[in-house]
Amino acid sequence: MSLLALATSPSETDFWEERADLAAAFRWTARLNMHEAVANHFSLAVNPEGTRFLMNPNQRHFSLLTASSMLLLDAEDRATMLGNNAPDPTAWGLHGAIHRNCPHARCVMHVHSINSTVLACLQDSAMPPIDQNTAMFYGRTIIDEEFSGLAFESEGERCASMLSDPRKKVMIMGNHGLLVIGSTVADAFNRLYYFERAAETYIRALQTGKPLRVLSHEIAEKTASELEDYPGQSDRHFSELKAILDAEGSNYAD
């Protein structure tokens, strides 16, 4: 099915809760200054295979996105970029490749947020476990050191090939930015939020010029495992963020 057919199909009004969750995530990403002009993209798989997905439209500001503005795309449809409402080509290249090849990556969020991008620009982009937030990601990240330009289809396929391990849900995209995956919008957004906070802590600690107090392997792994199993944290975090938007009269769910 082509993108044009999808866009005119009644199915565009399906997945309303998922659309609203994505829109809320975009609004909060902009509010936290983790967006970049009208670039960067989030996507969410809506079928069991993970190949049909929602994504933000081409070059729209995160702070203006609503549930109804999300594109419904098919990662297997090679005619997608020929449609009148085609997505950004780099978004299609990266997110399309991930949803085609990584069914466990239900929600994909890619940003150029300041602290995570600073980390991605260091010769050594590994983040040591120096506090609870940095320990959350201990042994759970991928560092891509082969940046080769904008994420058109070949670059997207290369990045997707690095996400085969479901345990590793964060990709530090060297010389580029940050990509996280999750099982839901809430799960991915929580990970995005905490990784940016962790990167900020690490960078500020480096700026002191003083030696770092790094946790042992045993304590870092124990902390990461405990945080993974912490009951309902990501869902509660995200539901509170939506409650704030609702109380403010936001139109994100329109």
Side-chain angles (χ1 to χ4, degrees), residues 21-57:
D21 279 355
L22 270 180
F26 285 120
R27 296 295 182 97
W28 271 100
T29 301
R31 185 176 295 199
L32 295 170
N33 196 30
M34 293 169 62
H35 62 305
E36 179 149 290
V38 292
N40 297 163
H41 304 85
F42 299 168
S43 59
L44 177 66
V46 294
N47 67 334
E49 299 78 15
T51 53
R52 295 188 75 202
F53 62 97
L54 300 168
M55 189 170 70
N56 48 313

Side-chain angles (χ1 to χ4, degrees), residues 4 12 20 37 43 58 76 86 89 95 110 119 127-128 145 147 151 154-155 166 192 213 221-222 238 241 244 246:
L4 185 59
E12 183 167 319
S43 59
N58 189 11
E76 301 289 359
H95 292 253
H110 170 53
L119 180 63
M127 183 170 63
E145 299 180 341
F147 175 74
S154 60
E155 179 74 351
L192 185 79
R213 179 180 291 146
E221 178 58 38
K222 178 177 181 289
F238 198 65
L241 296 182
I244 293 170
D246 292 337

Side-chain angles (χ1 to χ4, degrees), residues 9 13 15 41 49 53 71 81 90 104 111 132-133 149 164 178 190 210 212 225 244:
S9 166
T13 60
F15 316 114
H41 304 85
E49 299 78 15
F53 62 97
L71 301 177
M81 294 307 298
T90 61
H104 61 280
V111 294
Q132 183 168 293
N133 288 348
S164 59
L178 175 68
N190 194 63
K210 296 183 177 181
L212 300 176
S225 297
I244 293 170

Side-chain angles (χ1 to χ4, degrees), residues 219-234:
I219 296 300
E221 178 58 38
K222 178 177 181 289
T223 303
S225 297
E226 289 172 342
L227 287 167
E228 282 181 333
D229 296 334
Y230 203 84
Q233 202 271 340
S234 60

Side-chain angles (χ1 to χ4, degrees), residues 111-131:
V111 294
H112 300 165
S113 52
I114 294 298
N115 296 291
S116 297
T117 304
V118 168
L119 180 63
C121 293
L122 300 179
Q123 184 171 349
D124 181 0
S125 295
M127 183 170 63
I130 59 172
D131 77 329

